[in-house]
Amino acid sequence: KIENFGPYFEAMQQDTGKLAAQVQECRGLSDRLSGMVRRLDMMQMRSQQALACTEDIINLKECKIKIITAIEEKKLSEAVSVIRQVHGIELKAAKVSDDFDIIMEKEKEVKQLVQKEFGEAIA
């Protein structure tokens, strides 16, 4: 009976070799796929950062308009509220926008107006 087992054993060895080769091939595919997923994750994170930066810049434009309007209408509490909102925006994104410098100038103006009104209220 052992003599008849020889051909089966050889076939099993060949099949085992084929299976090991398939497992190695699958491992290689898995490694390549993992690398692609990591790169996609990085790209997604960068695109989310770019979107957040874009939103911040758009918000700065809106904030600039709101601050100017609030100053013109002498609504200093609204101007201060918007300035607080601006300070919540990431500084790196804010400095990219041309509106940031204008807002900083308007902030100084609001501070002066608040100090003036406070002085008048005390007097």
Side-chain angles (χ1 to χ4, degrees):
K1 291 186 178 184
I2 292 178
E3 296 163 357
N4 293 337
F5 186 69
Y8 294 113
F9 182 72
E10 288 177 22
M12 284 185 354
Q13 280 184 324
Q14 289 176 355
D15 289 345
T16 302
K18 289 179 185 176
L19 183 60
Q22 287 177 340
V23 167
Q24 282 298 95
E25 186 179 325
C26 286
R27 187 177 80 65
L29 287 171
S30 173
D31 289 344
R32 286 200 322 259
L33 186 60
S34 289
M36 289 179 198
V37 168
R38 280 192 297 277
R39 284 193 303 272
L40 283 173
D41 283 344
M42 288 299 295
M43 284 189 254
Q44 181 186 18
M45 286 176 20
R46 288 181 185 144
S47 64
Q48 286 174 344
Q49 289 171 342
L51 283 172
C53 183
T54 303
E55 286 179 21
D56 287 345
I57 291 170
I58 291 170
N59 286 340
L60 280 174
K61 288 190 179 298
E62 293 171 2
C63 289
K64 179 186 77 170
I65 293 167
K66 289 178 184 178
I67 290 171
I68 291 170
T69 304
I71 291 172
E72 289 171 355
E73 295 175 358
K74 304 289 185 203
K75 296 179 180 178
L76 298 180
S77 62
E78 286 182 25
V80 170
S81 175
V82 174
I83 290 170
R84 282 190 190 132
Q85 181 181 349
V86 169
H87 286 290
I89 292 174
E90 185 180 334
L91 190 60
K92 184 178 177 182
K95 286 187 176 182
V96 171
S97 173
D98 296 332
D99 296 319
F100 183 71
D101 293 332
I102 296 168
I103 291 170
M104 292 296 101
E105 289 299 317
K106 293 298 178 183
E107 180 181 19
K108 291 175 187 175
E109 186 178 333
V110 169
K111 284 180 182 179
Q112 290 172 351
L113 291 170
V114 167
Q115 289 172 347
K116 179 183 172 190
E117 280 195 16
F118 186 72
E120 290 172 1
I122 292 177

